[in-house]
């Protein structure tokens, strides 16, 4: 059965609407087996048990929300099926004639996703995190220290300026009460405990935690750093015992140095907060493809007025100047005795979206850290390597690094009476110190002692530590 309309008159049904040659306006319910239309069909309510066919140059089904939410249009546009948010003028979902599916936002899937391959348009599937040891798991040098610099957690340096009492840095063990990071798999944080700053906050004071990204890692990351439409995203968890806002910054290292300050926003005391910052490229950024520093990441618990200014703008690149690193900073944390500040889950990745933290195995993370620092001995009875008497009072030995270091390292070896022994020919020769020979490379270290040993030329043995206080560290940090 069909209803054919011709002429100019319409048919009016009481309480139904108007049916005429120009269209059908229905105020009630339309129920039919199928609808075939070359024009427009509209109604308050439609119930179809068959097919709905709409024929037009660009057939469109408009869905208008009477509650003033977004309106949508379902349409076929030149062979591409799409769902368009007509209120905001954005294409939300399309399927092209070749089967390509595209969305204008995120897809949340509660089940399993199976695909032949996953190809991201920005960032990468593995090795996304440009930060090494962002979960704070590796601490080769030790777990607590009252000395500034690289003293505990690998790759992160805690530094201070003109403080009355140097802060204590430590690798802190998280527990299930650390709401937020614990549930995401984090078990350690970088923990800073303030000293007693009896002089108050001074213009030259600062306490900072910094990390340097190797330049070639950033240059080869896929970030188009000279384009303002290409991004890197920084995310991290932070907690402070004092409620206040904190500042941080990024700074380039090559060419004209650029500075990018950011803030955490006001933190609630003793509450973990996840912070995400999306940073665009800039035409003036230079990043060399080498083993030097490419980017500085710095967190400040306090900076005095010598290096801050109220004129500094946040979240934008600007030419670096010593006196304009961040806006002026609140001193509440700095002037609070034994105040604490913690950081974990630091991730820097290419792209405009923060992805879940890339957890790596301890072994993988340790190997990455050993490119910059190798602790070969910590305590007594640690073997260092083989050595030979080159002259009757001159011993040479070698230490083979587990990974190629970033650069030829320096040596930090604790000295003290009889801290080391050279075992050979059924006897031992005790000595006090080790030195690094200039033939050392980033693969093998040549160590020696030429003041405290004596023996037969050509005798070979091994070097080991003989005091609990000994640490032997090869350092190639940025």
């Amino acid at each position: 059965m069909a209803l054919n309309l011709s002429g100019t008159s319409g048919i009016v049904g009481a309480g139904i609407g108007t049916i005429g040659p120009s269209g059908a306006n229905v105020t009630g319910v339309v129920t039919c087996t199928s609808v075939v239309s070359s024009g427009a069909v509209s109604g308050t309510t439609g119930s179809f048990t068959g097919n709905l066919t709409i024929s037009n140059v660009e057939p469109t089904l408009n869905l208008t929300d009477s509650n003033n939410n977004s309106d949508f249009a379902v349409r076929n546009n030149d062979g591409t099926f799409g769902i368009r948010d007509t209120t905001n003028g954005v294409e939300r979902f399309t399927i092209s004639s070749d089967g390509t599916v595209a969305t204008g936002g995120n897809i949340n899937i509660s089940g399993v996703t199976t695909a032949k391959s996953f190809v991201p348009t920005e960032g990468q599937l593995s090795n996304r995190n440009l930060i090494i040891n962002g979960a704070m798991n590796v601490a080769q040098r030790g777990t607590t220290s009252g000395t500034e610099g690289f003293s505990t957690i690998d790759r992160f340096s805690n530094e201070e300026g003109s403080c009355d009492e140097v802060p204590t840095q430590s690798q802190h063990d998280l527990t299930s009460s650390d709401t937020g990071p614990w549930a995401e798999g984090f078990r350690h944080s970088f923990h800073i405990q303030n000293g007693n700053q009896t002089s108050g906050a001074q213009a030259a004071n600062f306490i900072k935690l910094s990390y340097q990204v190797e330049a070639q890692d950033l240059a080869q990351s896929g970030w188009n750093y000279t384009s303002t439409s290409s991004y890197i995203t920084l995310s991290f968890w932070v907690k402070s015992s004092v409620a206040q806002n904190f500042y941080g910054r990024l700074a380039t290292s090559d060419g004209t140095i650029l500075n990018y300050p950011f803030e955490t926003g006001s933190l609630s005391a003793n509450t973990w907060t996840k912070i995400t910052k999306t940073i665009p490229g800039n035409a003036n950024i230079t990043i060399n493809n080498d083993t030097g520093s490419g980017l500085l990441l710095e967190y400040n618990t306090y900076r005095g007025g010598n290096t801050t200014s109220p004129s500094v703008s946040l979240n934008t690149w600007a030419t670096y100047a010593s006196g304009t690193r961040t806006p002026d900073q609140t001193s509440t944390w700095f002037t609070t005795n034994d105040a604490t500040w913690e950081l974990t889950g630091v991730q820097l990745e290419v792209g405009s979206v923060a992805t879940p933290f890339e957890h790596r195995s301890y072994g993988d993370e340790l190997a990455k850290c050993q490119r910059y620092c190798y602790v070969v001995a910590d305590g007594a009875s640690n073997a260092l390597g083989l050595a030979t008497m080159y002259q009757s009072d001159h011993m040479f030995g070698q230490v083979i690094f587990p990974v190629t270091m970033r650069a030829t390292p320096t040596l930090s070896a604790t000295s003290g009476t009889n801290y080391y022994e050279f075992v050979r020919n059924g006897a031992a020769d005790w000595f006090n110190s080790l030195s690094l020979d200039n033939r050392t490379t980033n693969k093998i270290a040549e160590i020696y002692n030429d003041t405290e040993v004596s023996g037969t030329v050509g005798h070979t043995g091994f070097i080991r530590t003989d005091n609990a206080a000994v640490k032997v560290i090869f350092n190639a940090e940025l």
Side-chain angles (χ1 to χ4, degrees):
M1 176 181 179
L3 174 63
N4 297 315
L5 303 175
S6 61
T8 59
S9 61
I11 302 173
V12 179
I16 299 175
T18 303
I19 303 175
S22 59
N25 297 315
V26 182
T27 58
V29 177
V30 178
T31 303
C32 55
T33 302
S34 65
V35 175
V36 180
S37 172
S38 59
V41 177
S42 63
T44 303
T45 304
S47 175
F48 303 100
T49 57
N51 300 319
L52 173 62
T53 302
I54 303 174
S55 299
N56 206 338
V57 174
E58 186 179 309
T60 303
L61 177 62
N62 293 308
L63 306 175
T64 302
D65 190 303
S66 60
N67 291 323
N68 296 320
N69 297 312
S70 292
D71 298 334
F72 287 87
V74 181
R75 61 181 183 168
N76 185 343
N77 183 12
D78 294 329
T80 297
F81 170 81
I83 300 176
R84 182 175 179 79
D85 181 344
T86 55
T87 300
N88 297 296
V90 178
E91 207 73 41
R92 297 299 187 189
F93 179 82
T94 61
I95 303 176
S96 60
S97 57
D98 65 359
T100 301
V101 178
T103 69
N106 299 324
I107 298 178
N108 297 319
I109 300 173
S110 58
V112 176
T113 301
T114 303
K116 184 177 181 180
S117 64
F118 290 91
V119 182
T121 56
E122 53 179 24
Q124 54 200 41
L125 293 176
S126 63
N127 295 308
R128 299 188 312 278
N129 194 359
L130 294 167
I131 302 296
I132 297 170
N133 203 28
M136 312 298 174
N137 288 329
V138 180
Q140 293 185 83
R141 298 174 179 90
T143 57
T144 186
S145 175
T147 304
E148 66 173 321
F150 291 103
S151 298
T152 55
I153 292 175
D154 281 51
R155 302 293 293 117
F156 288 84
S157 176
N158 180 212
E159 299 160 33
E160 60 84 26
S162 303
C163 289
D164 296 310
E165 185 178 357
V166 176
T168 300
Q169 58 172 292
S170 63
Q171 182 190 48
H172 180 65
D173 292 335
L174 301 182
T175 68
S176 57
S177 63
D178 288 288
T179 303
W182 178 267
E184 293 191 4
F186 299 106
R187 296 299 180 263
H188 296 105
S189 68
F190 197 117
H191 184 282
I192 301 172
Q193 181 173 308
N194 192 19
N196 185 357
Q197 313 305 342
T198 56
S199 300
Q202 305 296 314
N205 289 145
F206 66 82
I207 297 176
K208 65 178 182 177
L209 180 60
S210 60
Y211 181 101
Q212 300 269 6
V213 180
E214 189 170 335
Q216 63 181 352
D217 291 345
L218 200 56
Q220 300 174 36
S221 68
W223 181 33
N224 185 10
Y225 49 83
T226 59
S227 170
T228 56
S229 59
S230 183
Y231 300 88
I232 52 175
T233 297
L234 172 69
S235 56
F236 56 91
W237 284 95
V238 62
K239 183 174 78 167
S240 168
S241 63
V242 175
Q244 70 167 70
N245 182 31
F246 294 91
Y247 290 104
R249 66 188 187 99
L250 298 169
T252 61
S253 302
D254 299 316
T256 300
I257 299 176
L258 299 184
N259 187 60
Y260 188 96
F262 61 87
E263 64 181 350
T264 63
S266 184
L267 301 181
S268 299
N270 300 310
T271 302
W272 282 103
T273 303
K274 188 170 185 178
I275 308 296
T276 299
K277 300 292 177 182
T278 301
I279 300 108
N282 183 281
N284 297 316
I285 290 178
T286 299
I287 299 174
N288 295 335
N289 187 31
D290 60 21
T291 59
S293 175
L295 188 71
L296 165 71
L297 169 60
E298 180 183 288
Y299 298 95
N300 302 141
T301 56
Y302 180 68
R303 269 193 176 279
N306 284 353
T307 55
T308 67
S309 170
S311 65
V312 173
S313 298
L314 293 172
N315 305 316
T316 187
W317 291 104
T319 301
Y320 168 82
S322 177
T324 56
R325 303 184 199 193
T326 73
D328 288 342
Q329 299 191 12
T330 302
S331 63
T332 309
W333 186 95
F334 183 79
T335 55
T336 300
N337 293 345
D338 300 326
T340 61
W341 192 91
E342 295 181 66
L343 179 73
T344 195
V346 183
Q347 180 151 294
L348 182 67
E349 59 190 306
V350 175
S352 57
V353 176
T355 65
F357 185 85
E358 183 183 22
H359 289 278
R360 294 187 280 251
S361 72
Y362 181 85
D364 286 347
E365 208 75 89
L366 175 61
K368 290 177 181 290
C369 291
Q370 287 175 333
R371 176 171 172 79
Y372 305 90
C373 170
Y374 176 42
V375 179
V376 64
D378 185 359
S381 301
N382 289 182
L384 297 181
L386 296 176
T388 300
M389 291 301 298
Y390 172 67
Q391 294 175 342
S392 61
D393 60 353
H394 200 142
M395 172 204 67
F396 275 113
Q398 68 174 17
V399 176
I400 301 173
F401 304 138
V403 301
T404 300
M405 301 196 74
R406 182 191 63 84
T408 300
T410 59
L411 172 65
S412 173
T414 313
S415 298
T417 302
N418 295 336
Y419 270 24
Y420 305 90
E421 59 179 316
F422 179 37
V423 181
R424 85 277 188 217
N425 196 35
D429 198 2
W430 280 266
F431 57 100
N432 304 334
S433 63
L434 282 172
S435 298
L436 188 67
D437 190 78
N438 59 12
R439 296 173 182 83
T440 295
T441 70
N442 62 348
K443 297 179 176 64
I444 301 176
E446 189 171 287
I447 55 178
Y448 70 92
N449 182 284
D450 61 357
T451 58
E452 298 146 1
V453 294
S454 63
T456 303
V457 174
H459 278 187
T460 298
F462 64 92
I463 307 170
R464 67 185 177 198
T465 62
D466 203 34
N467 191 288
V470 174
K471 281 190 179 181
V472 180
I473 303 172
F474 292 94
N475 180 61
E477 291 284 2
L478 289 162

